[in-house]
Amino acid sequence: MGQQETVATSLADTVREGIGAALAAVDADLARRYPGDPGTRQPVHTVYVPGDVFAADTLRSWGDAALAALDEHAPDAGALAAVLGIPDELAGPVHERVRAKLEREPVEDLRIDFEDGYGPRPDAEEDAAAARAAALVAAAYENGTAAPYMGIRMKCMEAAVRDRGIRTLDIFLTGLLEAGGLPEGLVLTLPKVTYAEQVTAMARLLEEFEKARGLESGRIGFEIQIETTQAILGADGRATVARMIEAAEGRATSLHYGTFDYSASCGVSAAYQASDHPAADHAKAVMQVAAAGTGVRVSDGSTNVLPVGPTAQVHDAWRLHYGLTRRALARAYYQGWDMHPGHLPTRYAAVYAFYREGLEKAAARLAAYVAKAGGDVMDEPATAKALSGYLLRGLDCGAVDTDEVARLTGLTRADLDALAGRPATTA
């Protein structure tokens, strides 16, 4: 009694050691390629405005315009719920939180556009616009009016516009440094990528900038916008997007689907170019699998149907946008692009309804898992990770509150971070 019982084995220790040595390179490769979730907040959307339109009050003006649209076309919880089909029990909390969000933080991620939304301009004009954008972004972070994430979309790496894109990026980043430094929420978007070598070129460009300004290597990351068929499937039959993640050398932060450019490259007629088209579903599924476990996020695209005009027309556009957003969330595309202030009410309504409607069930399952209490569903660690990730996303965007999650689960934010495999945060 009290002594460890000896059991019989047949394999020598050298066998185990040999297998470990044989798989050491695989272990290292898995750790490098698939580090898991970065543990940072992912914005629920990206808003983009042309470089010559962006102003110091852009974020506030978008929020005010969105609030005005609510007041005109859905002035109370019942009206919004009736338009969007939100259940009665969620109508009040969703409407209240949408209004509060639009007043407090109307935009989570802003991209100042120097690509399609800006177009070709004289060099002196784009130079001035890039410098102005840097000054405005720096000032916004300094005075507390910035979105959590802000940055630019430059022109792509194709030969015709490559030099202009590089110069705009240089002016913007240099301007930020001259104004005090690169903000933590800095995001850069590289559009219309077709070859992995273009991603490598972007990585080299940022590396050279870091060297020139004495920055830590790897400080600057970037998003890859998937807008061409070649970005999904290469001429050799391989999934190009997976190669692009590798080519970024750890700098890729997310993959963004470009609804209209990609649809057009597939030959989809303009009337049918939408984020729920089968061509879009295929592209995003490939992106999702390629990015899984790498720490690179996936973002859906946008709709070009704007909620403007008479109330009936606005309601039709809202229902479309709400439905597309809910569809994307169910498919684990937790971010999308918004093109107009009128999209903000339905973006947040869809996101908040998604997280609030599943709050109690997710919390109960997670609490039962932690307590090993069993129940009518037997969850495994992977499911507990997904459940905690769901709650954390709800917390990040304001759909749910820390107190109500703690009340329902008995868990702290740190507990949820640990279960989700995220680094601990103080949020």
Side-chain angles (χ1 to χ4, degrees):
M1 296 293 293
Q3 295 183 347
Q4 184 174 355
E5 189 173 334
T6 302
V7 296
T9 61
S10 300
L11 298 175
D13 287 346
T14 53
V15 175
R16 172 181 52 77
E17 293 165 358
I19 289 175
L23 291 177
V26 170
D27 295 339
D29 200 51
L30 279 170
R32 179 181 67 84
R33 292 177 185 268
Y34 302 103
D37 189 275
T40 55
R41 171 185 178 181
Q42 182 180 11
V44 302
H45 69 169
T46 299
V47 162
Y48 76 105
V49 297
D52 58 334
V53 173
F54 177 60
D57 66 346
T58 292
L59 298 177
R60 188 62 264 151
S61 67
W62 271 61
D64 291 343
L67 286 166
L70 264 184
D71 290 340
E72 181 177 357
H73 303 294
D76 55 46
L80 185 65
V83 173
L84 303 178
I86 298 173
D88 291 343
E89 65 274 15
L90 292 177
V94 167
H95 186 267
E96 178 184 345
R97 287 170 185 270
V98 168
R99 288 199 65 91
K101 180 73 167 181
L102 295 175
E103 291 167 354
R104 181 186 74 253
E105 186 184 76
V107 175
E108 292 197 358
D109 183 28
L110 177 74
R111 206 69 69 252
I112 306 163
D113 191 27
F114 287 93
E115 201 229 359
D116 284 349
Y118 184 76
R121 307 286 182 97
D123 283 339
E125 183 178 343
E126 185 160 342
D127 283 355
R132 175 176 167 273
L136 289 172
V137 169
Y141 277 103
E142 177 67 24
N143 64 30
T145 61
Y149 298 94
M150 298 180 75
I152 65 168
R153 179 170 73 169
M154 59 190 281
K155 289 178 173 63
C156 70
M157 284 291 180
E158 293 177 358
V161 295
R162 182 186 304 138
D163 288 350
R164 181 62 260 181
I166 291 172
R167 181 171 175 83
T168 296
L169 179 66
D170 188 3
I171 291 170
F172 179 72
L173 292 177
T174 300
L176 288 176
L177 284 174
E178 295 295 323
L182 302 182
E184 286 301 314
L186 174 67
V187 191
L188 307 173
T189 305
L190 179 67
K192 291 184 176 59
V193 182
T194 52
Y195 280 74
E197 288 79 3
Q198 293 168 328
V199 176
T200 300
M202 182 68 167
R204 291 284 78 75
L205 176 63
L206 295 176
E207 180 181 41
E208 291 301 323
F209 185 89
E210 289 163 350
K211 289 179 181 177
R213 297 305 301 245
L215 300 174
E216 178 186 0
S217 178
R219 165 65 180 85
I220 309 173
F222 62 97
E223 304 168 333
I224 302 169
Q225 198 157 18
I226 306 301
E227 301 178 271
T228 68
T229 56
Q230 296 93 337
I232 294 297
L233 189 68
D236 57 2
R238 297 169 64 190
T240 315
V241 67
R243 295 179 57 219
M244 289 177 177
I245 293 173
E246 178 74 7
E249 299 174 1
R251 293 181 186 269
T253 57
S254 56
L255 306 172
H256 286 245
Y257 176 68
T259 304
F260 306 104
D261 283 288
Y262 187 86
S263 297
S265 72
C266 288
V268 179
S269 298
Y272 299 98
Q273 292 177 359
S275 60
D276 58 353
H277 190 280
D281 284 341
H282 172 259
K284 287 179 286 188
V286 174
M287 291 163 59
Q288 187 175 51
V289 173
T294 65
V296 176
R297 269 75 178 263
V298 174
S299 173
D300 200 356
S302 60
T303 176
N304 60 358
V305 179
L306 305 184
V308 296
T311 295
Q313 186 172 316
V314 170
H315 285 178
D316 286 343
W318 273 357
R319 278 188 285 268
L320 174 65
H321 185 243
Y322 180 86
L324 290 173
T325 303
R326 286 300 309 261
R327 185 180 189 271
L329 290 167
R331 285 158 174 75
Y333 309 135
Y334 298 114
Q335 186 176 354
W337 281 52
D338 290 328
M339 300 178 68
H340 188 273
H343 286 140
L344 299 185
T346 38
R347 170 67 62 183
Y348 292 121
V351 169
Y352 290 175
F354 177 76
Y355 288 113
R356 292 203 65 80
E357 70 187 15
L359 171 60
E360 292 191 2
K361 186 173 182 179
R365 286 179 64 179
L366 192 59
Y369 172 83
V370 171
K372 296 181 172 57
D376 60 349
V377 180
M378 183 177 292
D379 287 323
E380 297 188 358
T383 305
K385 183 176 182 179
L387 289 167
S388 55
Y390 173 85
L391 296 176
L392 285 166
R393 289 180 184 278
L395 288 167
D396 285 343
C397 70
V400 300
D401 299 327
T402 303
D403 290 346
E404 62 183 333
V405 171
R407 174 175 54 81
L408 291 167
T409 64
L411 302 173
T412 66
R413 172 81 192 222
D415 295 329
L416 294 175
D417 284 331
L419 287 165
R422 290 186 177 189
T425 66
T426 57

